[in-house]
Amino acid sequence: MRSTEALEGTPVLNFANTYCNAGSLRKASTLYTEAIFRLQVGGLALGSGDGSGGAKIPAPAAAPAPLRAPAARTATAAAAAAAAPAAAAGDGAAPASSEDAYSAAEASMLQKVIRTGLITNKNDIEVQRADPSSPLYSVKSFEALNLRPELLKGVYAMGFNAPSKIQEMALPILLADPPQNLIAQSQSGTGKTAAFVLAMLSRVDITKNYPQVLCLSPTYELALQTGDVAQRMAQYCPDIRIKYAVRGEEMARGAKLDEHIIIGTPGKVLDWGIKFRFFDIKKISVFVLDEADVMISLQGHQDQSIRIHKMVPKSCQMLFFSATYNGEVMNFAEAIVSNPVIIKLKREEESLDNIKQYYVECMSEESKYQAISNIYGVITIGQAIIFCHTKRTASWLANKMIADGHSVALLSGELTVEQRISVLDRFRDGKEKILITTNVLSRGIDVEQVTIVVNFDLPVDQTGSADCETYLHRIGRTGRFGKAGIAINLVDGRRSHAVLKQIIDHFGRKINRLDVEDADEIERINKD
Ligand SMILES: Nc1ncnc2c1ncn2[C@@H]1O[C@H](COP(=O)(O)OP(=O)(O)OP(=O)(O)O)[C@@H](O)[C@H]1O
């Protein structure tokens, strides 16, 4: 992961490291936010309504065109006039250079930061069992699991009343005696981490002062996040000790770990377990691979994870968890985990059913901006995400909106993971109402409170054709879980019209035209 490494050694990270090691990434991310603001890391334009949040604000110039009646609640007239991004001007569908490559682990981390609760999934669970003779259980309550009372108390203290769908099926397997191996897949936010953390904690034998449970995470941040869940769940079990094996954590030569649980990244765990022998890997009885697809894919940490996997004893319980597994990775997982039970929670199909889609005819980048101003002038919008094709357009738009008095967060691919986390943290907490972003946020991230998604530029692939999958992911950010959402597509020029038509044809859904100079019409989109 590029960014955290690059920041290591800076005051920002050292300060936050100290905090993270105390076990709370959430607190750390707040510190990052503050530290980042102080240091004004280049490229981050993040502002509040008064424009004082460190944003780069261009000087005001042109006023926006007025709305037709009843224009009583027009947007602030002091529009800024930063130079419009030339590359995109006149045709929002231009296939400008792609940016924002980000890893599945980063996406998962951002997801965890922005999500506030459990995602309830009504879809079916598929269970494949290697040993058909052993019966299948599911639990409807945490009491039924016969947990230590202190652990049960911790689960309830976290606000968990009943197991989630995946937990119903996974927990009996995780806690089974004799232990069973498990490969589990279910979408992000469905309670996987909580499930395996509960298993990790309940498997600890506190009479033995050495590591018994090893949990591997692909990144420093994810390891800390998992540790944070473990510490909260074990808040009434002070006798259970957890150690992070992540960068920044150092041990004296010859020292031995007496913690029960190690949560860490593969490189550090290899160093500690094999090179320095700070713990005896042969005594590990539970091995958890979080984000298993990243950990065992060829592009991921396969070599290191497999080396560790090979060192743990055969009798060790193997638990692989992931939101996704591609076919190859699943085959590989099945090959290295003996007799696994495989649980899959089918993903709820993203659908356009409860999203009202509109397009707005625009002449230029400026008129796209005007369209947004007019909409904001008429209806009250909770939180919105605006997608741009390039980071240049995104930062141009952010500057203009900030200058217009909006509270705007900007998230683009050039930000470090810490910066992205802090931006999302603030947006989730409602500190900014508008999030302007590129495709960095289009996939996999659930922002529950978003009511409007604006495609400032329609999503296109390398050839300039409609990227319908990305379109679905983007507008799927709104209208989740039965709530109605609104998607507005700003269209300028021949090419972007052609892209819009491809999207309409692809989904077979009408996208209505919205006249943003007619306040009545704008008001109606909020009511229909
Ligand atoms: N049984 C439960 N009841 C209520 N909330 C829960 C329950 N289990 C987990 N949660 C909460 O739901 C959210 C998502 O849970 P969790 O992080 O375990 O999901 P996940 O599937 O591991 O997600 P990801 O794939 O992003 O890692 C968290 O805020 C967690 O505290």
Side-chain angles (χ1 to χ4, degrees), residues 384-426:
I385 301 187
I386 304 178
F387 286 100
C388 298
H389 192 58
T390 65
K391 51 187 175 227
R392 194 167 164 210
T393 309
S395 86
W396 168 81
L397 181 63
N399 281 330
K400 279 180 82 75
M401 295 200 76
I402 289 165
D404 238 4
H406 294 286
S407 69
V408 176
L410 175 64
L411 187 81
S412 65
E414 73 223 323
L415 300 188
T416 63
V417 170
E418 291 77 19
Q419 289 169 328
R420 293 181 202 186
I421 289 170
S422 71
V423 169
L424 286 176
D425 244 348
R426 290 176 58 86

Side-chain angles (χ1 to χ4, degrees), residues 47 95 138 172 175 220 434 456:
S138 82
L175 303 174
Y220 167 88
I434 300 169
F456 194 84

Side-chain angles (χ1 to χ4, degrees), residues 284-344:
I284 295 294
S285 53
V286 179
F287 175 71
V288 179
L289 205 58
D290 188 14
E291 309 288 341
D293 57 342
V294 180
M295 300 299 266
I296 56 177
S297 72
L298 276 174
Q299 300 77 18
H301 298 273
Q302 193 183 80
D303 288 355
Q304 290 172 325
S305 302
I306 298 313
R307 270 185 75 196
I308 298 166
H309 174 267
K310 280 188 178 147
M311 300 288 293
V312 296
K314 290 269 170 293
S315 58
C316 177
Q317 186 181 22
M318 304 279 171
L319 307 172
F320 285 22
F321 281 81
S322 199
T324 53
Y325 287 91
N326 71 37
E328 217 173 290
V329 167
M330 183 54 104
N331 289 341
F332 189 69
E334 286 182 51
I336 63 170
V337 176
S338 68
N339 295 327
V341 177
I342 301 172
I343 300 183
K344 292 181 196 165

Side-chain angles (χ1 to χ4, degrees), residues 108 111-112 115-119 142 158-164 166-167 186-196 222 229 232 290-291 322-323:
S108 175
Q111 177 78 67
K112 279 178 188 289
R115 196 190 322 99
T116 48
L118 187 69
I119 289 175
F142 288 111
M158 290 178 80
F160 300 178
N161 298 321
S164 68
I166 184 89
Q167 290 165 358
S186 89
Q187 77 195 69
S188 216
T190 50
K192 296 185 297 296
T193 308
F196 70 69
L222 281 165
V229 175
R232 282 189 287 139
D290 188 14
E291 309 288 341
S322 199

